[in-house]
Each structure stands twice: as C-alpha cells, then as structure tokens.
C-alpha cells in the first residue's frame, strides 16, 4: 500500500454502471421518503455524488441494495437536518420478539371498495411513519427481496419480516378505519 | 402446523420467500384453515390496493441527464484514501449467486468471468445484437439454476403463476402447462435481461429445467434453427401470439418437441 494519502479520481464509469440501471428505483424511493419531486431529484443527485465518493466501499454483491442504501441514508440525513426532532425507533419496539398481528376475518376488499382505496392509499402511505413506509415501498412497489431490503436498511432479515408484517397491519387498519363501510363490520 | 406458526409464514409465502418445503407446509395448512386463507386474501387485497393506487415514480430524463453529466466528480484529497485495486470491485464469492435483481452487466461479468464490468453498455436500450442477447439469456438461465430456487412463484393446482405476474410486470406471459407430455410447469420468476424486467416461466423435464422468457424477437430470430451455446439450446418461438425465448440443456429431439408443444398451445 502507498505511503500517506493518495487521491485517485473515482471510476465514474463504474459508478454509473452500478447506479443508472436502478435510477428509477432510487428516484421512486427518494420520492416516497422526501415527499416532493424536486427534493427527490436533488436527493438522488446528491446520493450519486456520494456513491462516487464512496465507490471504494463497494465490494461486489448487490449493486441495487448498495445504491439504494446510499439514497436512503441521504434522505434520512436530509430529513433529520430539516426537522430538529429525532425519530425514535423505541416507539416501534423493535427489540420485542416479533408479534404477529392477529388474523382478522375482514378482507380489505370486503370492507372497502378497491377504487376508494386506490385514491386513499397514497394519503395513508404518506401518513405512515417512515420506517413502515419504506419497507412497504421497497417490497410492494420496488419488488425487493427480503435480503435486499435487509441490506438497504442495514438490519437483519428477521427485522424486515416483522416490520413488514406490522406495516401491512397498520396500513390495513388505516384503510378499514377510514372507509365508508367501517361501521358495518365488527372491528 | 398451527395458525400461530403459519401467521408469519403467510407474509413470506405471499412474498415468494419460502423454499419449496415451507411452501408445501403452508399450503397444506391453508387447505385446512379458513381463517388463514382469509388472512392471506386480505394481504393480497392490500397488495392489490397498493399496486393499483400507489404510483411508482420514474426518474425524469433531465435527472438522468444531470447524473450523466456529473462526469467530473470533485475530489477531496483529505477523504479520498485510495488503495483501490481493480480486483476489489469484482464479486469475490462465486459460490453465492445473487438473485435476479442485480444489474444485467454485473451478472454478465459474474457468470461469464469477464474482467471488465463495462463490457455491456448500460446506457443503450434493449440490444439488437443477437449474440449479446444469447449470452444474456444463458447467463440468466445459469444464474437461476445455481440459485436456491429458480422460481419466485411455484405452480400449484390453484394456477398461481399467471395471476402472480399481474401487477409485477406490464405484460403477463402466456402460461401453458404441457405436463402430460413430460414438460410440467414448475413456476415463474421475474429476471433481468437486456436491462429490462422480464417474465420467465420455468418448465421441468426429467432432471432438467427449461426457462421461457417473454421477450421480443425479430422475424429472423423466429425463423432460425435453435442455437447451441456452451451446451445449452436457445430458440425464439411464438406462444399464443407472444414472442418467447426458450433456454435449456436438453437434447435436440426433446427441445424440438417442447418447442412444438408450446407453439401449438398445448396445456394438459
């Protein structure tokens, strides 16, 4: 290894190869986390520069997960610096053994009409705490595997599974509670 | 298996994360348990609602251009400690094959052992170069064979495969099951070929697997004889008016028989 610190230009070709195939995924994630087109676009650009700067940390493996984890970290840092409040994960009780939401006889489609839901779903997803929203976006919209989500969030697969179950239960609850038919089903 | 054990598995089942043994276990439970079936339907319903109503935002052309123009990334001498050696960028563990979500070019480099990852031009649209496509198809096929499971969704009596694709991909593949002729449908998955998400149907034949990719094909491709690449046969065919590419290492005669069965629309 060299003596002292050498500065070498990052291999931009490599950075592009790793990130551009997943640009839509990155933008989609940023859009759902940041809430606006402009913020999402700026964020993705910032994340790209960061990816270039930290390209040496990429050691092979899932490029999409590596890139999306950078995008996500940039989102979190930007959001945190804007809001002085800390988002505490304690409220989510991550350390408790996975408590699977009770099986519930009402099907979402039984209680709420699909077309009504579709209109409301964006509203409810945006209302979810970020930790729940991001797993749902990554799983249901980006179609990431549990392994990929675990790599992106830097948590074990078991945490992804329990958080996903809780997110689904919470979203379902919001949909049912806010539907017109809520009164007709014993909830 | 009781409901308490089944509950967490329902999510993994819905997400295609269970191995075949676990799939058998949970399906057996579902045959006997109405409550879990309702819960599963509820989860599927929630998924439908999300897919229906929550948009997948795509990057604008101007954002893409912005990134492409970021050619000269500013260096900061203080934090650019570099002992970067080219080999470090290559995946070191060849035994663990990544799932289908990896970028096409990385997979190409990985499975074909090509040193430079810029071998495949990512900025271009779907390649019209037949050789590159053949290589990519083979690469994808090999990767699937090496993976823990070549399918993301298993074919069962309830015809789970076709509906599984809906909402995941723009165009659903034509699902045939010539099981009585010795080519049972094993299941399906979504893979990456030529920079696109592609629907793949997986068929069995004895100990072998044949992949059928829903991907455009030219008139020339469709007329050509099957090609052989590293011992694997590839051919472009039309199934119920949709172009598909089939890849497998079965002999010429059986490959031709399979080709004919699909082309004729046989499903029994």
């Amino acid at each position: 290894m060299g003596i002292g610190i050498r500065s070498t230009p990052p291999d931009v070709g490599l950075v592009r190869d790793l990130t551009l195939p997943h640009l839509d995924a990155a933008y989609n994630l940023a859009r759902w986390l940041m809430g606006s087109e402009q913020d999402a676009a700026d964020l993705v650009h910032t994340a790209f520069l960061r990816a270039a700067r930290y390209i040496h940390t990429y050691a092979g493996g899932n490029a999409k997960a590596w890139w999306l984890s950078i995008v996500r970290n940039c989102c979190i840092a930007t959001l945190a610096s804007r809001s002085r409040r800390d988002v505490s994960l304690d409220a989510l009780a991550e350390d408790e053994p996975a408590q699977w939401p009770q099986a519930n006889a009402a099907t979402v489609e039984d209680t709420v009409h699909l077309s009504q839901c579709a209109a409301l779903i964006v509203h409810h997803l945006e209302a979810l705490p970020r930790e729940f929203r991001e797993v749902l976006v990554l799983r249901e919209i980006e179609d990431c595997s549990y392994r990929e989500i675990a790599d992106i969030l830097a948590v074990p697969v078991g945490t992804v599974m329990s958080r996903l179950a809780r997110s689904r239960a919470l979203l379902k609850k919001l949909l049912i509670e806010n539907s017109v038919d809520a009164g007709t089903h014993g909830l | 298996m009781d409901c308490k054990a089944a509950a967490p598995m329902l999510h993994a089942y819905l997400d295609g994360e269970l191995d075949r043994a676990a799939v058998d276990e949970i399906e057996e439970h579902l045959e006997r348990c109405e409550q879990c079936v309702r819960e599963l339907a509820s989860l599927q319903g929630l998924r439908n609602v999300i897919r229906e109503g929550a948009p997948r935002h795509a990057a604008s052309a101007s954002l893409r251009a912005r990134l492409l123009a970021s050619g000269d990334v500013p260096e900061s001498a203080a934090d650019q400690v570099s002992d970067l050696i080219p080999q470090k960028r290559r995946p070191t563990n060849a035994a663990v094959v990544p799932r289908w979500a990896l970028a096409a070019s990385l997979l190409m480099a990985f499975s074909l052992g090509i040193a430079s990852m810029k071998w495949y031009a990512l900025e271009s649209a779907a390649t019209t170069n037949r050789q590159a496509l053949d290589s990519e198809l083979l690469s994808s096929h090999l990767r699937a064979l090496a993976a823990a499971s070549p399918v993301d969704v298993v074919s069962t009596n309830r015809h789970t495969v076709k509906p599984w694709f809906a909402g995941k991909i723009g165009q659903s593949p034509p699902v045939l099951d010539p099981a009585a002729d010795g080519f049972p449908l094993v299941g399906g998955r979504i893979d990456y070929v030529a920079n696109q998400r592609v629907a793949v149907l997986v068929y069995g034949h004895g100990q072998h697997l044949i992949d059928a990719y829903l991907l455009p094909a030219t008139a020339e491709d469709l007329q050509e004889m099957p090609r052989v690449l590293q011992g694997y046969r590839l051919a472009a065919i039309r199934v119920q008016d949709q172009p598909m590419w089939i890849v497998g290492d079965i002999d010429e005669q059986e490959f031709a028989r399979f080709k004919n069965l699909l082309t004729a629309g046989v499903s029994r």
Side-chain angles (χ1 to χ4, degrees):
Chain A
M1 308 304 147
I3 298 165
I5 294 170
R6 250 178 327 135
S7 170
T8 308
D11 182 344
V12 178
L14 174 60
V15 179
R16 287 183 187 156
D17 286 357
L18 297 178
T19 60
L20 291 182
H22 311 291
L23 183 56
D24 285 341
Y27 179 74
N28 185 55
L29 180 63
R31 179 70 180 73
W32 279 103
L33 294 183
M34 302 303 295
S36 86
E37 269 180 50
Q38 190 58 53
D39 282 347
D42 289 342
L43 197 296
V44 170
H45 191 189
T46 303
F48 179 79
L49 296 174
R50 196 175 170 83
R53 176 176 283 198
Y54 292 100
I55 188 67
H56 56 278
T57 67
Y58 177 68
N62 193 323
K64 176 166 131 181
W66 177 80
W67 167 223
L68 289 186
S69 77
I70 293 176
V71 170
R72 177 184 172 261
N73 289 335
C74 285
C75 287
I76 293 173
T78 306
L79 291 169
S81 73
R82 285 181 187 181
S83 120
R84 299 282 184 265
R85 286 177 301 133
D86 283 331
V87 176
S88 167
L89 273 176
D90 292 343
L92 301 177
E94 297 285 11
D95 294 330
E96 279 176 19
Q99 279 167 11
W100 301 98
Q102 295 301 310
N104 167 334
T107 10
V108 173
E109 282 170 343
D110 280 345
T111 52
V112 217
H113 296 297
L114 250 182
S115 53
Q116 277 179 277
C117 281
L120 290 172
I121 197 72
V122 173
H123 172 75
H124 290 313
L125 272 171
E126 286 176 348
L128 284 179
R130 192 209 78 232
E131 290 79 3
F132 291 136
R133 189 166 4 112
E134 64 188 359
V135 280
L136 285 174
V137 168
L138 289 171
R139 177 78 278 274
E140 302 291 15
I141 302 177
E142 283 306 322
D143 223 356
C144 292
S145 67
Y146 287 178
R147 179 72 260 160
E148 286 176 323
I149 299 175
D151 289 344
I152 294 167
L153 304 187
V155 296
V157 169
T159 303
V160 172
M161 292 173 76
S162 64
R163 208 179 286 182
L164 191 54
R166 295 175 69 184
S167 309
R168 285 170 167 158
L170 185 52
L171 188 62
K172 179 169 140 181
K173 186 162 170 277
L174 286 175
L175 278 171
I176 292 173
E177 279 173 358
N178 287 281
S179 81
V180 175
D181 306 51
T184 62
H185 291 264
L187 291 166
Chain B
M1 171 181 292
D2 62 8
C3 290
K4 198 155 160 248
M9 279 178 74
L10 288 179
H11 292 266
Y13 180 62
L14 181 78
D15 294 325
E17 294 274 351
L18 294 181
D19 62 39
R20 304 245 203 127
V23 166
D24 287 341
E25 269 184 59
I26 192 125
E27 287 187 344
E28 204 204 7
H29 176 80
L30 289 170
E31 272 168 35
R32 302 180 266 112
C33 177
E34 221 180 281
Q35 193 177 18
C36 284
V37 169
R38 276 202 297 270
E39 177 62 16
L40 185 66
S42 186
L43 290 175
Q44 181 67 56
L46 187 64
R47 165 167 292 173
N48 293 345
V49 165
I50 294 173
R51 295 223 166 120
E52 174 97 0
R56 186 188 189 233
H57 303 280
S60 67
S62 68
L63 175 58
R64 196 171 286 266
R66 242 165 105 183
L67 298 197
L68 284 168
S70 290
D72 301 312
V73 178
E75 309 162 31
S76 171
D79 43 7
Q80 288 260 357
V81 179
S82 176
D83 55 353
L84 192 58
I85 301 160
Q87 284 85 350
K88 270 192 182 175
R89 296 181 204 157
R90 270 186 264 145
T92 50
N93 183 359
V96 178
V97 180
R99 281 191 58 172
W100 48 267
L102 264 190
S105 73
L106 273 173
L107 292 165
M108 290 287 316
F110 197 54
S111 60
L112 298 180
I114 295 165
S116 166
M117 284 196 276
K118 292 178 213 163
W119 186 86
Y120 193 70
L122 289 172
E123 276 107 294
S124 64
T127 182
T128 51
N129 183 328
R130 174 64 198 265
Q131 260 191 327
L133 179 61
D134 283 348
S135 294
E136 267 210 83
L137 285 168
L138 176 59
S139 176
S140 157
H141 180 65
L142 290 173
R143 194 172 65 250
L145 292 178
S149 171
V151 296
D152 292 339
V153 62
V154 176
S155 174
T156 67
N157 293 337
R158 292 180 203 88
H159 303 293
T160 44
V161 176
K162 185 138 185 147
W164 182 83
F165 282 107
K168 283 181 153 65
I169 205 148
Q171 206 180 6
S172 243
V175 181
L176 301 174
D177 193 357
D181 293 288
F183 294 93
L185 176 68
V186 173
R189 69 173 185 274
I190 290 177
D191 213 320
Y192 264 107
V193 177
N195 279 328
Q196 318 160 44
R197 286 162 61 93
V198 174
V200 189
L201 297 175
V202 184
Y203 290 89
H205 186 58
Q207 300 287 17
H208 301 273
L209 287 178
I210 309 164
D211 282 340
Y213 295 78
L214 178 64
L215 205 58
T218 64
E220 289 84 8
D221 291 332
L222 288 164
Q223 274 161 8
E224 261 197 51
M225 292 299 290
R227 294 192 176 191
V228 182
L229 195 66
Q230 292 177 41
Y232 291 80
R233 274 168 227 285
L234 290 104
I237 59 177
R238 268 199 107 70
V239 182
Q240 292 180 344
D241 219 41
Q242 286 178 282
M244 296 199 84
W245 291 81
I246 50 178
V247 186
D249 68 332
I250 54 176
D251 68 46
E252 202 180 331
Q253 209 175 11
E254 288 301 287
F255 190 82
R257 203 161 71 84
F258 179 59
K259 206 179 143 202
N260 294 334
L261 284 167
L262 286 191
T263 312
V266 173
S267 194
R268 43 165 193 259

